[in-house]
Amino acid sequence: MLQTALSTAPTTLLFAPCGNKLSPILFPKRRRSLTLLPRWHFNRTRPRPKPKPKPFSAVAATENGVFTSPEMAKSFDFTSEERIYNWWESQGYFRPNFDRGSVPFVISMPPPNVTGSLHMGHAMFVTLEDIMVRYHRMKGRPTLWLPGTDHAGIATQLVVERMLASEGIKRADLSRDEFTKHVWEWKEKYGGTITNQIRRLGASCDWTREHFTLDEQLSRAVIEAFVRLHEKGLIYQGSYMVNWSPSLQTAVSDLEVEYSEESGTLYYIKYRVAGGSRSDYLTIATTRPETLFGDVAIAVHPKDDRYSKYVGMMAIVPMTYGRHIPIISDRHVDKDFGTGVLKISPGHDHNDYLLARKLGLPILNIMNKDGTLNKVAGLYCGLDRFEARKKLWAELEETGLAVKQEAHTLRVPRSQRGGEIIEPLVSKQWFVTMEPLAEKALRAVERGELTIIPERFEKIYNHWLSNIKDWCISRQLWWGHRIPVWYIVGKDCEEEYIVARSADEALEKARAKYGNDVEIYQDPDVLDTWFSSALWPFSTLGWPDVSEEDFRRFYPTTMLETGHDILFFWVARMVMMGIEFTGTIPFSYVYLHGLIRDSQGRKMSKTLGNVIDPIDTIKDFGTDALRFTLALGTPGQDLNLSIERLTANKAFTNKLWNAGNFLLQNLPTRNDASAWKNILAYKFDSEESLIGIPLPERWVVSKLHLLIDMTTASYDKFFFGDVGRETYDFFWGDFADWYIEASKARLYNSRGHSDSSVAQAVLLYIFENILKLLHPFMPFVTEELWQALPQRKEALMVSHWPQTSLPRHANSIKKFENFQALTRAIRNARAEYSVEPGKRISASIVASEEVIQYISEEKEVLALLSRLDAQNVHFTNSPPGDAEQSVHLVAGEGLEAYLPLADMIDISAEVERLSRRLSKMQTEYDRLKARLSSPKFVEKAPEDVVHGVQEKAAEAEEKIILTKNRLALLKSSVLFTK
């Protein structure tokens, strides 16, 4: 254990007695050799075998050179965070420990994309989840925070394709196996970046259980889930409208489509009425004229009198050699948009698709998978969709069918991964029937089996599940879980296919049905990445092997924490799949955090140049300051992050460090057995133990016990912002600004007496409990300080959480608040009269006998905090004889003070100074009144200018009155002394 050879000389003050600022500290430097642990060897791509957990033991960490004492450094060194983290992990602290409890607390980490690097959204979820895990670990629960990464099908394939393109290689030039080999090589080389950065945030995950969604175990779970759903008739194949990525040539999920407001054009086109005159036509406004080749009808509103005569007739689609489509009426047409005429292109618009299915209209596809037009577009066949748009419009103008163009703001669907414009397209895909799964997930919330925090998101959850659509789970990629479906060579693939758990099983089934000569081939598509993610809480614990020890011990999990923006796409799907495959909900709570925005509330983006990088932030401010800042938000609400907040919380880290320095400087040396016996004799867990200690100690211990109860309740309710603010206020306001300063009266004036040991005992008791309360938020600096304290037998992160329901004295809190009010009043008077900081003044304290009794007992503390001359502080129940020549202060009901003016200032000099000041103020006041007396100014000047002058005049008049009153008091004092 660290040798705490502590200085006992009261030569250096850590805290300025009257202020909130830390005063400079100069301590002698001591040399010490540090043996560093290996730096951040984190490149793990596959889970290692699970070692048998060893019991947490008392480790003299400081003797291994892992930690640095505040005696050795003036501030906390952020580079030591790496050593501390490696030490925690080497001791096995991140793994579940059943020695102190049996009911585990389990969180499955939302798996970040293997292609990713850390951003503030990751920093937010890591911070909040680590807070939960560290808190419950200290509460004695076996904790498992299970980490991992997602294979991120589209994102990863896109990254590797771009990498290969830079080398002159196209994916089309490679076989599937060759390409996936390149992806695995990339993953092994770069896939650990995000997990290394998550470690840098202090995440106390059990890395021995780390998973990847393409692990053998998780792949087995994915295939099993597909097979079971298909066997129940919940998976089917069909051609339906999907979001299509032309460059990747795959369907993409709704989550991977981002809509942006962009400047575009509204094109007005004439559709002639078949059989009518040249004046019989309908003008249609569209943002995508190239889709007219896929038009199957024109619709108008039934009550739109402009077009009622054409309903039931046929219109001619421009540039299609006279193709006719019906003109129909439908109440869903918006009469006020464009011309009130809607072209229905169900093969290329989600709304048109639904309308066509309702009305029984045909579906016409005009586009190839690469975004070029197909033969349905006639002469435009082979043109890119945007090239076709330009050419079509030019030719419409030539034929007189183009009416006009208008600027129009479009809501453009873009791929989240590649940035290209997504095309609505009808495509043959695999789907999951969601309605029967959604019903069970809805009931879980209705019955209270699943709690969503904050509660308002329950409505969004219920709305989405109540209006759920079938889920397109197939993707036309090479990277991902291959769909476990095999087709028969020579047979219709829509009618004849085999679902199996392996190729061998598929071949066996095929031979049984079609004979030994049958040939089969596997579906080329892969499953949506979200399909494997939906199984994450239980696939990572061993499912479908329900006898697996981790599954039996840790499932269902406790908490799912993530951003509110993926409530439907991930959270709800996990709930549905968990109930379907395990018979129970996969977690009891869902905690949804908000988005991180800049100081102005704007979304962070490279375009705006307002992105704050977490790793850079850690280098500048430390991990603890970043975590503390992020944790002060409110569940479900966006958080505005600013450099000012980070700077303030870095100062908080330094304040903790300096408090630890003060404490160590004022504790006995380790080998002073007698002194330590006196300190350790103090207990604070009973009413009797509090009665026997002085008022400041009773007050601060009582306040601490209240804080422990409040913060523990807030932790249990997941109100982390309240925990941070309450603990911050207590440490900075009550402990640092008041009790540490008050303790100096005992530490510096009562050496060797019981007053000294009680202050030392209370300082140590308060500080170690503050470290415990703050550890989940600020793990590094609190562990470093904890290890520097004497008598530490275990790591802070596995220490016991403070006991709740400890005694507190409400009466003592009230008494000390009176004491504080008196001190503040005296400090304010000193500041008002510009009394030199080092000057000691006299005071008469006037109060009832009861109040005098408890305040007079702490005369030394009052003198120290208020800079009074302790020999000339008098306590009385009536005003002193020199009250007329004193500053009279009312600190509270029945508590007053009189400060002799002669003690505070040079009265004659002050009279002269105030007289000069009064003359200047009177001159300025007269000038202002003269302006206001001028009718020319009042009538002609702007109203706000006149109002401003009136305010200045009123303020000047008030200052003159105050200055005159002070002069009168000073002059009377001068006369009295003469």
Side-chain angles (χ1 to χ4, degrees), residues 300 365 403 463 500 517 558 595 692 699 778 896 936-937 959:
V300 298
N365 176 34
V403 178
H463 176 77
D517 295 333
T558 314
L595 305 179
W699 165 75
M778 310 173 79
E896 303 172 33
K936 186 177 180 181
F937 170 74
K959 289 180 179 179

Side-chain angles (χ1 to χ4, degrees), residues 845-852 855 875-878 894-896:
I845 311 301
V846 179
S848 65
E849 184 176 340
E850 179 192 0
V851 175
I852 286 176
I855 290 183
F875 299 91
T876 176
N877 57 10
S878 60
L895 179 58
E896 303 172 33

Side-chain angles (χ1 to χ4, degrees), residues 573-818:
R573 285 172 178 166
M574 281 189 289
V575 175
M576 288 186 279
M577 293 302 184
I579 296 173
E580 174 65 23
F581 294 121
T582 70
T584 185
I585 53 172
F587 28 75
S588 301
Y589 298 92
V590 175
Y591 183 105
L592 300 170
H593 66 249
L595 305 179
I596 308 294
R597 299 185 178 275
D598 70 5
S599 58
Q600 300 177 41
R602 300 175 301 175
K603 187 175 181 179
M604 291 187 185
S605 71
K606 293 179 181 178
T607 303
L608 293 174
N610 62 348
V611 174
I612 301 177
D613 183 85
I615 299 301
D616 292 341
T617 303
I618 288 171
K619 291 175 183 175
D620 294 336
F621 299 94
T623 302
D624 293 318
L626 174 60
R627 287 172 57 120
F628 193 79
T629 304
L630 294 176
L632 293 184
T634 302
Q637 292 187 7
D638 294 351
L639 175 70
N640 293 355
L641 184 63
S642 65
I643 298 301
E644 290 74 20
R645 288 188 178 188
L646 291 166
T647 301
N649 290 325
K650 180 181 178 181
F652 181 43
T653 305
N654 290 333
K655 187 88 167 180
L656 279 169
W657 189 259
N658 290 335
N661 202 323
F662 173 84
L663 180 62
L664 292 173
Q665 289 290 326
N666 288 282
L667 288 176
T669 57
R670 183 182 178 188
N671 54 7
D672 189 345
S674 176
W676 276 107
K677 181 179 180 181
N678 290 336
I679 291 173
L680 297 177
Y682 285 98
K683 306 295 179 185
F684 306 103
D685 56 356
S686 67
E687 290 287 341
E688 294 75 16
S689 64
L690 289 192
I691 292 173
I693 60 177
L695 175 63
E697 282 70 22
R698 285 201 310 276
W699 165 75
V700 75
V701 170
S702 295
K703 291 277 286 196
L704 172 70
H705 291 171
L706 285 170
L707 175 71
I708 291 171
D709 286 355
M710 286 189 295
T711 54
T712 301
S714 294
Y715 268 116
D716 289 336
K717 295 174 183 176
F718 310 109
F719 294 167
F720 303 123
D722 292 347
V723 173
R725 285 183 287 271
E726 289 164 359
T727 310
Y728 180 101
D729 291 343
F730 172 80
F731 166 76
W732 201 301
D734 295 334
F735 183 62
D737 286 354
W738 283 97
Y739 183 69
I740 282 183
E741 297 304 322
S743 71
K744 295 174 183 176
R746 311 196 202 292
L747 296 172
Y748 300 163
N749 300 330
S750 307
R751 291 291 182 185
H753 300 292
S754 61
D755 276 1
S756 176
S757 61
V758 71
Q760 291 168 328
V762 169
L763 283 168
L764 183 60
Y765 177 69
I766 300 294
F767 192 64
E768 67 182 7
N769 277 287
I770 287 172
L771 295 182
K772 288 184 177 185
L773 296 178
L774 281 175
H775 177 74
F777 283 74
M778 310 173 79
F780 291 110
V781 68
T782 53
E783 186 73 75
E784 186 102 287
L785 288 166
W786 177 269
Q787 294 293 339
L789 297 177
Q791 319 266 343
R792 301 305 101 177
K793 295 182 179 180
E794 59 188 355
L796 174 59
M797 74 174 293
V798 292
S799 65
H800 289 260
W801 188 255
Q803 183 181 343
T804 56
S805 301
L806 292 169
R808 74 290 304 267
H809 280 184
N811 192 37
S812 295
I813 293 174
K814 178 70 175 176
K815 288 179 179 179
F816 195 77
E817 286 173 350
N818 282 345

Side-chain angles (χ1 to χ4, degrees), residues 811-831:
N811 192 37
S812 295
I813 293 174
K814 178 70 175 176
K815 288 179 179 179
F816 195 77
E817 286 173 350
N818 282 345
F819 185 94
Q820 288 174 303
L822 176 61
T823 304
R824 288 192 189 97
I826 296 172
R827 287 176 173 179
N828 290 339
R830 290 179 63 103

Side-chain angles (χ1 to χ4, degrees), residues 155-328:
T156 306
Q157 181 157 321
L158 192 60
V159 166
V160 176
E161 283 192 26
R162 287 172 177 170
M163 180 193 72
L164 292 174
S166 69
E167 301 171 4
I169 303 172
K170 295 182 179 179
R171 176 165 68 100
D173 299 333
L174 302 173
S175 68
R176 186 183 194 119
D177 290 342
E178 288 172 336
F179 179 77
T180 53
K181 182 181 177 182
H182 280 290
V183 183
W184 276 111
E185 289 172 353
W186 180 92
K187 191 267 181 189
E188 293 299 320
K189 186 174 182 180
Y190 300 106
T193 299
I194 187 70
T195 53
N196 291 345
Q197 293 173 329
I198 286 174
R199 289 166 175 268
R200 191 66 184 85
L201 284 164
S204 56
C205 313
D206 185 354
W207 294 105
T208 66
R209 287 177 164 88
E210 182 181 359
H211 278 291
F212 178 54
T213 47
L214 286 180
D215 283 350
E216 182 180 346
Q217 157 59 30
L218 272 64
S219 296
R220 186 165 72 96
V222 167
I223 292 171
E224 184 66 29
F226 186 98
V227 172
R228 292 191 187 185
L229 288 172
H230 187 270
E231 289 174 347
K232 290 188 69 172
L234 294 176
I235 284 184
Y236 64 94
Q237 189 181 42
S239 294
Y240 299 96
M241 176 71 70
V242 297
N243 299 307
W244 186 261
S245 169
S247 65
L248 284 170
Q249 295 191 38
T250 180
V252 296
S253 74
D254 291 339
L255 183 61
E256 291 158 340
V257 178
E258 292 182 341
Y259 290 87
S260 59
E261 299 290 325
E262 300 179 18
S263 298
T265 303
L266 197 58
Y267 300 88
Y268 289 79
I269 304 170
K270 291 181 181 179
Y271 280 60
R272 299 194 184 280
V273 178
S277 66
R278 293 185 63 84
S279 62
D280 289 318
Y281 61 84
L282 291 87
T283 301
I284 291 176
T286 179
T287 58
R288 297 193 298 159
E290 71 279 4
T291 61
L292 64 78
F293 297 109
D295 289 353
V296 297
I298 286 178
V300 298
H301 196 278
K303 295 184 178 180
D304 194 335
D305 295 335
R306 294 174 295 175
Y307 309 115
S308 58
K309 65 180 178 179
Y310 296 125
V311 174
M313 300 179 70
M314 304 292 283
I316 303 172
V317 180
M319 313 306 292
T320 62
Y321 302 102
R323 184 164 66 85
H324 288 32
I325 56 175
I327 302 171
I328 62 175

